[in-house]
C-alpha cells in the first residue's frame, strides 16, 4: 500500500513524508526514501581499494569478479602478509578489468612498482579516480544512486523477446515490431522524465517497480521544513508565546 513503507515512516521530516504521499498518488507507484544498495545489483565485478596496517601509506587498487571482501581475505591468507587487508572502498563496475587499467593509468605517478598494484596515495585520491570510471561505490545508498541514475535495476539480465512482450502486454500491432517498440520506448521515456523531474528515480527489484526519492530532493525538502519551523517559532516580531487551549 502506498504510504506504508517503513523507511518512509521513519523519515523525521513531515515535508518528505507528505511529498512522497503526494507523488505516490500522482504517479501510482510506491516510493521509498532510500536504503542500502542491494548486493544483487547487476554488475560484472568490482574495483577495490585495500589497505594494510603494516603497509602505512600504501594502497592496493585492483579488480575482482568475486567480491572485495573475499579478495581481501584471499590476499590476507598469504604467508608473506603480516596482517589482513582492510577494504577501504569498493565500486561496482560493468568493465572491472578495463576500469582497473584506466584507474591504474590515472594513478601511475603514485605507483611504487610497475609490476605491483600498490600506490602511495591517500584513500581520498584513490576514491576520486575510482568514482570517475566505475558505476558507484558499493556502500552507497539508494538515494545517493538516485542522484545520478534515473533507473536502478538490481535484477539479473533478461533476453529481449519482442514478440513475447507484445503478447504479454496485449499490444496488437502490424508491421515491424522493433519500430513499434521504439515508439513505445520513447513514450516511456516521456513518462520517466516526468517522474524524474519530481525528484524520483525508478528501482526495479524482484520484478517489481517502485520509486526512490533522490538525496538532493530530500535535502531540499528538509531544508524547506527547517526554514518553515524556524520562521514559525520566531515569527516576524520575535519569539511567539506558546498557545494554550
Amino acid at each position: 500500500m502506498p504510504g506504508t513503507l517503513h523507511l518512509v515512516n521513519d523519515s523525521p521530516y513531515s515535508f518528505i513524508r507528505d511529498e512522497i504521499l503526494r507523488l505516490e498518488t500522482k504517479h501510482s507507484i510506491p516510493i521509498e526514501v532510500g536504503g542500502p544498495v542491494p548486493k544483487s545489483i547487476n554488475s560484472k565485478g568490482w574495483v577495490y581499494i585495500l589497505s594494510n596496517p603494516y603497509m602505512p601509506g600504501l594502497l592496493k587498487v585492483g579488480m575482482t569478479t568475486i567480491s572485495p571482501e573475499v579478495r581481501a581475505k584471499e590476499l590476507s591468507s598469504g604467508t608473506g602478509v603480516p596482517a589482513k587487508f582492510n577494504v577501504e572502498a569498493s565500486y561496482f563496475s560493468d568493465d572491472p578489468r578495463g576500469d582497473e587499467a584506466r584507474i591504474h593509468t590515472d594513478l601511475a605517478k603514485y605507483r611504487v612498482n610497475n609490476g605491483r598494484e600498490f600506490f602511495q596515495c591517500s584513500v581520498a585520491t584513490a576514491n576520486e579516480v575510482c568514482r570517475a570510471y566505475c558505476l558507484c561505490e558499493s556502500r552507497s545508498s539508494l538515494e545517493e544512486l538516485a542522484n545520478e541514475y534515473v533507473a536502478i535495476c538490481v535484477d539479473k539480465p533478461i533476453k529481449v523477446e519482442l514478440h513475447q512482450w507484445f503478447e504479454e502486454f496485449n499490444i496488437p500491432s502490424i508491421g515491424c515490431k522493433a519500430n513499434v517498440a521504439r515508439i513505445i520506448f520513447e513514450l516511456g521515456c516521456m513518462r520517466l522524465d516526468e517522474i524524474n523531474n519530481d525528484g524520483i528515480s525508478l528501482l526495479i527489484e524482484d520484478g517489481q517497480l517502485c520509486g526512490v526519492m533522490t538525496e538532493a530532493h530530500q535535502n531540499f525538502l528538509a531544508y524547506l521544513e527547517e526554514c518553515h519551523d524556524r520562521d514559525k517559532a520566531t515569527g516576524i516580531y520575535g519569539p511567539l508565546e506558546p498557545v494554550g487551549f
Side-chain angles (χ1 to χ4, degrees), residues 73-100:
K73 188 175 180 179
E74 288 176 348
L75 292 168
S76 301
S77 64
T79 57
V81 181
K84 69 177 183 178
F85 282 94
N86 300 313
V87 180
E88 294 288 346
S90 61
Y91 292 81
F92 292 112
S93 171
D94 269 346
D95 180 18
R97 194 165 299 282
D99 286 342
E100 178 195 52

Side-chain angles (χ1 to χ4, degrees), residues 92-134:
F92 292 112
S93 171
D94 269 346
D95 180 18
R97 194 165 299 282
D99 286 342
E100 178 195 52
R102 288 181 279 270
I103 290 165
H104 285 181
T105 298
D106 281 12
L107 293 175
K109 65 181 179 180
Y110 303 108
R111 197 163 193 162
V112 297
N113 185 321
N114 287 334
R116 298 287 185 270
E117 295 177 339
F118 287 94
F119 301 84
Q120 195 168 27
C121 65
S122 66
V123 174
T125 297
N127 272 326
E128 183 178 1
V129 176
C130 288
R131 290 192 191 102
Y133 295 105
C134 300

Side-chain angles (χ1 to χ4, degrees), residues 22-23 26-27 150 187-202:
R22 183 185 75 82
L23 293 177
K26 177 181 178 180
H27 298 300
V150 299
L187 292 172
C189 285
M190 293 170 60
R191 177 90 166 100
L192 182 58
D193 284 344
E194 180 185 356
I195 294 172
N196 192 240
N197 286 338
D198 279 331
I200 304 297
S201 291
L202 296 183

Side-chain angles (χ1 to χ4, degrees), residues 150-166:
V150 299
I152 305 162
C153 180
V154 299
D155 287 351
K156 292 181 179 180
I158 61 174
K159 186 178 179 181
V160 175
E161 297 283 2
L162 282 183
H163 288 276
Q164 180 180 329
W165 289 356
F166 272 70

Side-chain angles (χ1 to χ4, degrees), residues 8 10-18 218 221-223 225-226:
V8 172
D10 277 353
S11 173
Y13 293 99
S14 62
F15 276 31
I16 292 176
R17 296 195 299 271
D18 291 346
Q218 291 186 49
L221 291 171
Y223 169 75
E225 184 166 346
E226 288 169 0

